[in-house]
Amino acid sequence: MREISYEPRNVRETLVELKDSSELAVDLAYSAVRYDDADLADEVVELEARVNYLQYHSRIALMLAAKRAEEAERLVGLFQVASSAVRITEAAGDVARIVLEEDGVPAAFEHAFPDADERLVRATVGEESAFAGSRLRELELDLEEGVRLIAIRRDGEWSFSPEGDDRLQADDVIVGRGPRDGIESVYRRATGEAFPAPTEPPETTDDLERAADAVVELKDMAELAVGLAYGAARFDSDELAREVISLEEQSDARKADLETWVIETGGDWNADELRGLLHLAAASEAICDAAVDIAEVVLRDVELPPVFGAALEDSEEVIAAVTVVAESDLDGTTIADLEFEEGAGVVVLAIRRGDDNAWTFDPTGELVCAAGDSLLVRGPPVGVDHLRKLAGNGDGLE
């Protein structure tokens, strides 16, 4: 265990880094399992160590800020949110270790996943790469490749949501999100090497696809629960907080499905691989449970100091719920047209229709939005805010 010495840190910056680290860790961890990528898994472990360092400093800073009982009462919500961010990252670390410790999942498992529109790329900038010394604006990765850099690690320090004036250096570790063709090109340009080719898919079975469906839903629910929980705290939204509770309940059911599959499959699979699946289910549920702890801060009307809202305003992306109002601009619009129209990185993550309270994740672009639909969307605050207005949701997030 690394020794940690206290150094005064800005509380606002620490909270932002805790939030961003936890969200990136979840994203990286599931991608590591999905693509059996040890490099992505290693980054999660690095983030876990960083978050433990941040937790130590945030606790001391918050204790020093509470000189009286009423001040301590006002800060207890921040303690819970910071603690939940650490738990989320630690659970993501447990997901990543399924790859690193070679418990793994069934060899055919990753090929049972549906093709994703986007995936992550992790690359180390080579000394001979044109990336070294270039500003992000000059590279135009988002325009040329459709890839958006979401984080850069340099000398052990993470920079989240890098900006156009940021300059890359040799040995920087970059993490980006985009279409497969784009991430293959970015990886080649950054490292000078070809992106690792996918392995030939072995034969899958109906049982395997059933288990993969459960894992995909656990992943989607965990990622959404984290984003919605932070959104609920940021906007003091009971609506978003209740969605987190609902997702956690659905996650319980899918975890039970996966555990049942493991028990029923029994001797047909390697015991270590089946144990890996059980670890994955438990870690996914732990992520949702930690997100619920954040949501409960909102539902219990625990006051969060202004520094928390100000800290989350520094985040480049938010997740929000949007309800389509009859005869609004979104009523009758397809998902593809909606995302293209916004043109600001707004993505529809899930849609809920009818009274069954179940979310459909990664809806197809051809799906037409209808009055009464609930959408979960991710994107820049300005884009999401505009989308809520188009849906007829008052004046947006604020």
Side-chain angles (χ1 to χ4, degrees):
M1 181 175 294
R2 301 179 184 178
E3 183 178 348
I4 301 176
S5 300
Y6 176 67
E7 300 173 2
R9 285 182 55 90
N10 181 286
V11 174
R12 174 171 170 165
E13 293 176 357
T14 301
L15 290 173
V16 170
E17 190 172 351
L18 278 170
K19 170 192 173 291
D20 289 343
S21 296
S22 63
E23 290 183 307
L24 180 60
V26 171
D27 207 351
L28 289 172
Y30 283 112
S31 292
V33 172
R34 165 68 178 86
Y35 300 106
D36 192 26
D37 191 325
D39 287 336
L40 292 179
D42 282 333
E43 296 299 338
V44 179
V45 175
E46 290 292 328
L47 279 168
E48 187 178 8
R50 176 67 178 173
V51 159
N52 285 323
Y53 166 87
L54 293 172
Q55 176 182 231
Y56 178 83
H57 289 80
S58 67
R59 284 177 172 174
I60 293 178
L62 291 172
M63 285 188 288
L64 291 173
K67 298 179 176 61
R68 295 185 297 274
E70 55 270 24
E71 292 175 343
E73 186 175 0
R74 290 184 64 245
L75 294 174
V76 70
L78 284 184
F79 266 98
Q80 184 158 331
V81 171
S83 176
S84 295
V86 174
R87 288 173 55 207
I88 289 166
T89 310
E90 290 176 340
D94 290 340
V95 173
R97 288 184 183 87
I98 294 171
V99 177
L100 297 176
E101 296 176 0
E102 298 183 353
D103 283 348
V105 294
F109 199 72
E110 66 177 271
H111 300 283
F113 282 79
D115 289 335
D117 293 332
E118 291 187 322
R119 64 161 294 178
L120 291 181
V121 58
R122 180 262 188 204
T124 302
V125 177
E127 292 185 2
E128 303 300 322
S129 169
F131 283 17
S134 296
R135 286 188 170 90
L136 297 184
R137 180 177 291 108
E138 298 167 346
L139 296 173
E140 295 185 332
L141 299 181
D142 53 343
L143 298 177
E144 293 187 4
E145 314 289 2
V147 173
R148 184 171 61 85
L149 289 193
I150 57 178
I152 301 171
R153 179 166 61 82
R154 178 179 299 160
D155 298 329
E157 298 285 335
W158 283 94
S159 172
F160 299 98
S161 301
E163 299 178 349
D165 285 334
D166 291 339
R167 192 185 296 273
L168 294 176
Q169 298 179 8
D171 296 326
D172 282 353
V173 174
I174 59 174
V175 178
R177 180 187 287 119
R180 183 173 184 87
D181 289 346
I183 64 107
E184 289 178 353
S185 176
V186 168
Y187 186 89
R188 182 175 61 254
R189 292 171 62 187
T191 67
E193 302 173 358
F195 190 76
T199 58
E200 285 296 319
E203 183 178 352
T204 61
T205 65
D206 289 343
D207 280 344
L208 188 64
E209 291 177 0
R210 170 188 165 192
D213 287 343
V215 170
V216 169
E217 289 203 49
L218 282 169
K219 164 193 170 294
D220 290 337
M221 291 173 188
E223 290 176 335
L224 280 177
V226 172
L228 286 173
Y230 286 125
R234 163 67 181 88
F235 301 108
D236 192 24
S237 171
D238 287 0
E239 176 191 12
L240 295 183
R242 284 191 290 270
E243 293 293 356
V244 176
I245 304 296
S246 174
L247 282 168
E248 193 275 334
E249 292 171 352
Q250 294 177 56
S251 176
D252 280 342
R254 299 309 281 155
K255 174 174 176 282
D257 287 345
L258 186 59
E259 290 171 337
T260 298
W261 180 86
V262 170
I263 293 171
E264 290 177 348
T265 301
D268 295 337
W269 297 93
N270 179 283
D272 287 338
E273 295 175 334
L274 293 179
R275 185 167 60 247
L277 286 180
L278 291 176
H279 288 172
L280 179 60
S284 298
E285 182 58 23
I287 291 171
C288 284
D289 288 343
V292 166
D293 285 346
I294 297 174
E296 287 180 345
V297 171
V298 177
L299 294 175
R300 294 201 313 269
D301 292 325
V302 176
E303 181 184 1
L304 288 169
V307 66
F308 182 74
L312 293 194
E313 284 178 356
D314 292 341
S315 296
E316 294 295 322
E317 285 192 332
V318 296
I319 293 180
V322 176
T323 300
V324 180
V325 175
E327 299 183 3
S328 69
D329 290 338
L330 292 193
D331 190 4
T333 300
T334 67
I335 297 295
D337 287 343
L338 180 159
E339 295 179 342
F340 177 78
E341 178 70 22
E342 289 312 298
V346 176
V347 177
V348 178
L349 302 173
I351 185 170
R352 184 172 63 195
R353 174 172 291 171
D355 300 324
D356 60 0
N357 205 39
W359 290 97
T360 298
F361 298 99
D362 294 325
T364 63
E366 295 77 17
L367 185 66
V368 177
C369 300
D373 286 350
S374 294
L375 309 177
L376 289 180
V377 299
R378 180 186 67 207
V382 172
V384 171
D385 188 51
H386 180 56
L387 188 65
R388 286 174 62 94
K389 294 176 183 177
L390 293 179
N393 295 180
D395 293 326
L397 292 174
E398 300 298 339

